[in-house]
Amino acid sequence: MATTNELKNGMVLVFDNQLWQVVEFQHVKPGKGPAFVRTKLKNVLSGKTVDRTLNAGVKVETATIDRRDMQYLYNDGTDYVFMDLETYDQLNISPEIVGDAKNYLLENQNVIVATNEGTVLFIELPTSVVLNITYTEPGLQGDRSSAGTKPATLETGYEIQVPLFLNENTKVKVDTRTGEYLGRATD
């Protein structure tokens, strides 16, 4: 149990026998009346997002989440296979749970796998990853970084928008939360 004063982004709460992750929260103290906490919660299993207002200081039930460092090994055709870096146990995770993380996963990449009572809830990627551009149209003479963007396919098969001057076999840094190009990777 925790109080609404102890909320943090990423914390997982239990409401109506469902797990909800705190996306953002704001403590509000109006001029009149008691203080309250405005929260945006994301259902861990369905991905649905809701806004919920809680009274300040109220106790909320927190879920026990086990976050383990794991390494992505391969896709066996149906599931994604991860290995626990401490016990070397392998874990198959369905594509539904992996979700958009598949766009940024490379073999032998380390991620954090969050579980609750043995059930895999979600995968946490680093905030940015370095991926290689496998296909993009060639840039034209005179293209500058501020001139616009073009589509580029990454080594995972995911397509992002990159500046016109970038070519194939260029390593780029990509934000895993938004899928945006962050810049060229420095080796």
Side-chain angles (χ1 to χ4, degrees), residues 20 23-24 37-42 48-54:
W20 298 86
V23 177
E24 58 186 52
V37 180
R38 240 184 234 126
T39 61
K40 182 181 274 188
L41 303 171
K42 178 181 173 187
K48 175 182 167 187
T49 305
V50 298
D51 293 322
R52 190 161 186 165
T53 304
L54 305 166

Side-chain angles (χ1 to χ4, degrees), residues 18-31:
Q18 294 182 356
L19 299 176
W20 298 86
Q21 186 174 21
V22 177
V23 177
E24 58 186 52
F25 65 96
Q26 177 184 16
H27 292 277
V28 179
K29 176 72 175 110

